[in-house]
Amino acid sequence: EGAERYALQNMALMPPDGVPSHLFGTWTELDPDILNSLIDVGLIYTPSPGKTDSSPEMVLLKPIIRQLAYDEFAPSIQSCAKLIHNTAMVMDMLPDNKDANYLMQLSQEVIALAQKDDIPVYIDYLHKSFELAVRNCKKPYMQEIADELELILMVTSCGTNRDNALLWDYKAELEESVENAVFCRVQAIALLNPEILEEKHLQAVILERIAGDYLLNNDWVNARHFSDLGWSMFEELGLLGKLEIIPALNRRAAILCHTDAEAEGKALFEQQKKYISLSEKQITLNRVCLHSSLWAAASEDAMIEKQKDLTEKSFHALYERMKIDT
């Protein structure tokens, strides 16, 4: 009975249109026999049982069962801890678009429905959800998460300097003007203590994002200034060559190519290309972003056709594999 209760409790937070059964099982670490038994008795519904094509088998609760499960079992951050933990981890791993869509739908349900009985874990879940929404260009959902985080930080005492700084950074992502975005990120940096390792790391990330803001205005002087500051911090933290700073590395290489350090910028691109080739075997957003920037950096020399071919192949592969909804 406990396992069935656990399954229905978690299912009450699933997207109303369902989720692939293999994802539900992985996220909840549920014994497949339990899920199958609930399907057999009709509590969990499979819209197209026995599918033989490449589409995943979906599972969901009929609306009336979903409401009953929610009312009876009151799913919360603590009672669905495995679901929250596992999906937060997956959000960090550049999931392909199909899984990303289910993750974002699930996150919306968690925000709307789950009882918030572990605020620090919930705040972390909001951070992961925002990052996922940014990578998938879902601005309305980014706004929803930022509003929820702002409310949580206002009504509880659980927020840290890092949480409040990230909120300012999220506001910057939602700003339309470069000037407003830079203002928000400067507010974020002011909250952080560079003597604390985690906060210094975030400072470096935000400094590089300010460089990216100026990049949008073709303000290469300010872009280079903030990129130098962020890059110096990354070096102090021992992060050079790490996969996590590829977006910053990509920005810096582009900035260097447009200032007085073109050779250094192209060397960074080549270093990045080799690193991604070794660490990411499949087409990813990192790889496509890199190839696109390589093309731009090589637009005035003999490499243009080669880099154009790389970019087009990557974008075509990404389009077929991800097909982002807008």
Side-chain angles (χ1 to χ4, degrees):
E1 183 180 344
E4 285 81 0
R5 174 192 176 96
Y6 171 73
L8 292 172
Q9 192 173 48
N10 282 273
M11 186 59 77
L13 293 178
M14 289 298 118
D17 293 332
V19 66
S21 59
H22 72 278
L23 288 181
F24 180 70
T26 300
W27 293 345
T28 58
E29 301 179 21
L30 185 72
D31 186 333
D33 290 340
I34 300 299
L35 181 61
N36 291 333
S37 69
L38 291 170
I39 291 172
D40 289 342
V41 298
L43 287 175
I44 291 180
Y45 173 57
T46 54
S48 303
K51 289 177 70 68
T52 57
D53 60 19
S54 59
S55 300
E57 181 182 66
M58 304 290 288
V59 290
L60 64 153
L61 296 178
K62 292 180 180 180
I64 188 169
I65 302 294
R66 189 169 188 259
Q67 186 62 48
L68 288 170
Y70 176 76
D71 292 341
E72 178 70 20
F73 303 131
S76 70
I77 303 301
Q78 286 188 358
S79 64
C80 298
K82 288 182 179 178
L83 173 70
I84 299 300
H85 173 74
N86 289 333
T87 52
M89 285 185 60
V90 175
M91 287 175 188
D92 270 343
M93 297 169 59
L94 283 175
D96 68 29
N97 189 57
K98 290 181 181 177
D99 288 1
N101 282 335
Y102 292 124
L103 284 165
M104 283 188 286
Q105 291 176 57
L106 169 67
S107 182
Q108 287 177 297
E109 298 302 314
V110 169
I111 290 172
L113 298 175
Q115 295 187 30
K116 315 306 188 291
D117 54 1
D118 191 332
I119 296 299
V121 170
Y122 180 54
I123 287 174
D124 181 67
Y125 193 75
L126 291 174
H127 290 318
K128 299 293 195 302
S129 297
F130 190 90
E131 292 160 10
L132 181 69
V134 169
R135 290 200 299 267
N136 286 271
C137 306
K138 301 293 186 180
K139 201 158 189 177
Y141 185 40
M142 290 161 57
Q143 184 69 64
E144 182 181 335
I145 298 166
D147 290 344
E148 175 73 1
L149 179 61
E150 186 167 28
L151 177 62
I152 291 292
L153 295 179
M154 187 184 306
V155 301
T156 73
S157 59
C158 295
T160 64
N161 285 346
R162 182 178 180 276
D163 295 323
N164 284 284
L166 280 168
L167 177 60
W168 276 108
D169 190 51
Y170 299 163
K171 290 179 178 180
E173 287 290 335
L174 292 161
E175 286 290 349
E176 297 295 332
S177 78
V178 167
E179 292 77 11
N180 289 344
V182 170
F183 172 82
C184 289
R185 290 196 164 110
V186 169
Q187 302 307 305
I189 288 172
L191 292 171
L192 298 168
N193 180 358
E195 299 301 316
I196 299 173
L197 194 62
E198 185 182 45
E199 294 188 18
K200 184 173 183 175
H201 184 178
L202 182 56
Q203 271 194 339
V205 169
I206 295 176
L207 284 166
E208 273 291 342
R209 287 177 180 166
I210 292 175
D213 292 331
Y214 282 117
L215 204 60
L216 294 175
N217 270 5
N218 293 321
D219 183 344
W220 301 104
V221 173
N222 276 317
R224 176 66 185 272
H225 171 69
F226 283 97
S227 179
D228 285 347
L229 291 175
W231 204 249
S232 175
M233 283 190 176
F234 282 143
E235 188 171 16
E236 290 174 25
L237 292 165
L239 293 174
L240 301 191
K242 303 292 186 181
L243 192 62
E244 65 183 276
I245 67 162
I246 280 180
L249 191 155
N250 195 58
R251 263 195 306 270
R252 179 163 178 79
I255 290 167
L256 292 174
C257 285
H258 282 85
T259 52
D260 57 352
E262 184 177 358
E264 185 182 348
K266 288 187 177 181
L268 277 181
F269 276 132
E270 291 302 320
Q271 170 192 330
Q272 186 180 184
K273 183 170 66 173
K274 290 176 183 176
Y275 187 76
I276 291 180
S277 296
L278 291 173
S279 59
E280 296 189 1
K281 303 302 182 184
Q282 296 179 323
I283 297 295
T284 65
L285 289 173
N286 280 340
R287 189 183 292 274
V288 171
C289 182
L290 168 61
H291 287 166
S292 178
S293 295
L294 278 168
W295 181 15
S299 60
E300 296 181 2
D301 63 36
M303 293 174 63
I304 182 62
E305 291 304 321
K306 178 181 177 182
Q307 302 304 345
K308 180 178 179 180
D309 181 62
L310 274 173
T311 304
E312 288 177 346
K313 285 180 180 177
S314 291
F315 272 112
H316 284 313
L318 184 73
Y319 178 78
E320 289 303 318
R321 184 168 170 266
M322 302 185 76
K323 294 190 176 169
I324 296 175
D325 297 326
T326 57

